[in-house]
Amino acid sequence: MKKKTRAIAIFLGLLTVAEAGGSVYFYRRTMKRGNAKKERTIKMAGTDWNQYMPVIQERKDHMMEQPHEDVYRLSEDGLKLHATWFPAGDQKKTVICFHGYTSQGMSDYIGLSDYYMKQGFSMLLVDERSHGDSEGEYIGFGCLDRMDAMGWIEWLIGRCGDDIQILLHGTSMGGATVLMASGLQLPDQVKGIVSDCGFTSAKEVFTHVLHSMYHLPAFPMIQIASLVNRKKAGYGLDECNAAREVRKAKVPILLIHGDADTFVPCSMCEKINENIASDKKMLIVKGAAHAESYYKDMEAYEQALNEFIGGLIK
């Protein structure tokens, strides 16, 4: 009996060590800058971007011909944050764009630059903390980035004046960022929010990835990672949840999602939609994988933007 008890204790001890080790490994490769790789994210998302490269390159060439400049500001916790500013016209209507996980501002909005610039919008393409040319060791997953978004809104008002009209547009992690920001006291200059394939929370999207792609149980790995992240980065993985934050939203919200998204399931979009307290619209693009909706059906995407923005920004 003693031998059996000792064997069980040893097994449980090894299991605990293995779980802790797996949690640390998962945390380091997911939450820390430099370990979170864009190539791995693209592979997990499963979107075939090669088919869109000709149009992306064409629009990038045109975009870079437009006047633009690098701008910087400090976050509340002292990080030097970067964005690229594309002024247009009188600069009185501007979209602030927030990119996805492991991406950067100048990557995710190349295609949409064609739409926004033709509509006369200035564009502020933000590098979220720990991405691009912005400082930071730990990724914010929307929870920290929503506060950075408030700082960029204030910067823009200071740059362009109190009569500016602002639209927030986010993709994937950027979508979560703008949805989480909807629960804050946004300035009156913010007229609307567009979220493309945004997730509910880091905890829920990580749980989905562990189950669907790695066939691993989320417990206790997510719970350990959340505790570590609270100590290292200052927030828990479910501390800020977009589906909860939109219950406090006062500005209109447009949700866009692809029904073939296996990385951030469309069910998250539906859950967020059910909880939005403000005026809302939703576009589900058939056959679109993660972050693919615009390229999959540009006509439907731009029509949804026209209908949404038309009633908000003059």
Side-chain angles (χ1 to χ4, degrees), residues 137-150:
E137 183 179 3
Y138 297 100
I139 295 171
F141 280 98
C143 189
L144 300 181
D145 306 290
R146 63 179 180 150
M147 304 310 299
D148 298 336
M150 287 290 286

Side-chain angles (χ1 to χ4, degrees), residues 1-188:
M1 180 64 73
K2 289 182 179 180
K3 289 183 178 180
K4 186 176 181 180
T5 302
R6 184 179 297 173
I8 292 173
I10 291 172
F11 172 76
L12 292 175
L14 291 173
L15 185 61
T16 301
V17 170
E19 285 288 358
S23 300
V24 170
Y25 174 74
F26 167 77
Y27 179 80
R28 286 178 176 172
R29 71 187 256 130
T30 304
M31 304 299 294
K32 290 196 70 175
R33 182 182 200 141
N35 295 340
K37 303 296 185 182
K38 183 176 182 179
E39 296 76 17
R40 186 165 64 238
T41 303
I42 291 174
K43 183 178 180 180
M44 288 192 298
T47 307
D48 178 15
W49 290 109
N50 289 328
Q51 61 184 313
Y52 303 120
M53 278 301 129
V55 67
I56 289 173
Q57 187 59 52
E58 180 183 347
R59 293 190 176 187
K60 182 177 182 180
D61 292 341
H62 179 263
M63 183 182 187
M64 297 310 295
E65 291 173 354
Q66 311 310 309
H68 61 279
E69 62 179 288
D70 294 312
V71 295
Y72 298 89
R73 54 168 296 274
L74 289 179
S75 67
E76 288 186 341
D77 52 348
L79 297 178
K80 186 178 181 181
L81 303 179
H82 169 264
T84 308
W85 171 236
F86 287 82
D90 61 6
Q91 303 176 28
K92 293 305 181 182
K93 61 177 185 179
T94 294
V95 58
I96 310 179
C97 301
F98 299 86
H99 60 78
Y101 175 62
T102 69
S103 189
Q104 57 186 25
M106 288 296 293
S107 294
D108 287 8
Y109 289 88
I110 292 171
L112 274 164
S113 68
D114 182 74
Y115 171 82
Y116 278 119
M117 289 180 176
K118 285 180 178 177
Q119 298 297 318
F121 275 82
S122 296
M123 300 184 73
L124 184 67
L125 306 181
V126 171
D127 285 347
E128 299 194 53
R129 60 171 56 214
S130 303
H131 291 78
D133 290 332
S134 288
E135 293 180 343
E137 183 179 3
Y138 297 100
I139 295 171
F141 280 98
C143 189
L144 300 181
D145 306 290
R146 63 179 180 150
M147 304 310 299
D148 298 336
M150 287 290 286
W152 283 116
I153 293 168
E154 292 167 3
W155 177 89
L156 198 55
I157 295 171
R159 172 77 177 244
C160 300
D162 291 340
D163 56 343
I164 188 174
Q165 301 175 88
I166 299 172
L167 182 71
L168 307 181
H169 193 140
T171 300
S172 192
M173 187 180 77
T177 295
V178 297
L179 291 172
M180 292 176 185
S182 74
L184 302 174
Q185 292 295 320
L186 295 172
D188 292 339

Side-chain angles (χ1 to χ4, degrees), residues 9 68 91 118 129 131 156 169 187 200 210 221 252 258 264-265 267 294 305 308:
H68 61 279
Q91 303 176 28
K118 285 180 178 177
R129 60 171 56 214
H131 291 78
L156 198 55
H169 193 140
T200 48
L210 285 172
M221 193 176 295
V264 177
S267 59
Y294 179 68
L305 287 177
F308 181 69

